[in-house]
Amino acid sequence: MSAKFYTQLSSFVSQWQQRLQPPVIATFLYRATAATGLLLRTVLWLAFMQLLCTTFAQAWTPFERKTLYEEVELSASEAKKVQYAAGWSAQSDTELLVEVKNNLPGPLACHGATVHLLSGSTVSKSFLPRLYVPNASSRQGAVGGVKKGQMKDFSILCHCWKKPGDSACGNPSSN
């Protein structure tokens, strides 16, 4: 590469730091690479386009959903409308099955279950992915390591979606 190219490159960097405008960058790339050949021009142009497109892609996405709903804990009255059950399957006496029945107007997202054993210890399980329970339906999850006859009690942590300032659970996918 020639000294002329490096001189143009250093002058471009100082101008770019002052302006930061994409048309200036594109003009420089075209002029600076005119003498160096088509391959280098193509590589620099592709790098510039990738930088430009990446910047726009980080700023906007067509998959982003703007919703007014927030995921919140259930109130005492809402928790009474959700039914929980637990038991063991006939195939395994060390895996506790928990069932959540949703009687709320909107869906639930259950994050995990905690089982208190007769021995005083606790077994906790996170549901990954979360246990999603649509309204008027039920879903099951499993908590391993709980032997049949050793459970004292259990609890399941579930949330629903509400609009800010609203007291009732709603369905964010209906909007």
Side-chain angles (χ1 to χ4, degrees):
M1 295 204 192
S2 66
K4 181 180 177 183
F5 175 75
Y6 289 113
T7 306
Q8 288 178 342
L9 182 63
S10 64
S11 69
F12 165 73
V13 170
S14 63
Q15 289 176 0
W16 185 69
Q17 289 173 345
Q18 294 170 2
R19 294 185 193 175
L20 294 175
Q21 296 177 359
V24 173
I25 297 171
T27 303
F28 167 77
L29 288 176
Y30 183 77
R31 288 181 182 163
T33 59
T36 59
L38 182 62
L39 179 63
L40 182 59
R41 183 184 314 165
T42 305
V43 169
L44 288 174
W45 183 253
L46 289 174
F48 168 70
M49 291 305 294
Q50 181 180 4
L51 174 71
L52 189 66
C53 292
T54 304
T55 305
F56 289 128
Q58 290 174 354
W60 177 82
T61 175
F63 303 109
E64 182 180 3
R65 247 180 94 182
K66 301 216 186 293
T67 179
L68 298 175
Y69 288 89
E70 297 175 351
E71 188 175 338
V72 296
E73 291 185 31
L74 297 176
S75 67
S77 63
E78 291 165 341
K80 290 179 183 177
K81 294 179 183 177
V82 179
Q83 297 172 349
Y84 304 100
W88 287 265
S89 70
Q91 292 83 15
S92 174
D93 64 346
T94 60
E95 190 168 67
L96 178 69
L97 298 178
V98 293
E99 183 177 47
V100 180
K101 184 166 194 237
N102 182 7
N103 295 318
L104 295 171
L108 293 176
C110 298
H111 296 263
T114 302
V115 180
H116 298 282
L117 304 177
L118 293 173
S119 65
S121 61
T122 303
V123 176
S124 295
K125 165 85 184 316
S126 294
F127 298 131
L128 291 175
R130 292 186 234 163
L131 191 63
Y132 179 79
V133 186
N135 59 325
S137 65
S138 62
R139 295 289 185 266
Q140 291 183 344
V143 180
V146 180
K147 199 163 174 103
K148 191 173 187 177
Q150 299 298 313
M151 181 179 77
K152 182 178 179 182
D153 64 357
F154 73 99
S155 62
I156 300 175
L157 176 64
C158 294
H159 291 167
C160 72
W161 285 270
K162 294 181 183 179
K163 288 184 179 179
D166 201 356
S167 61
C169 292
N171 190 349
S173 62
S174 65
N175 290 344

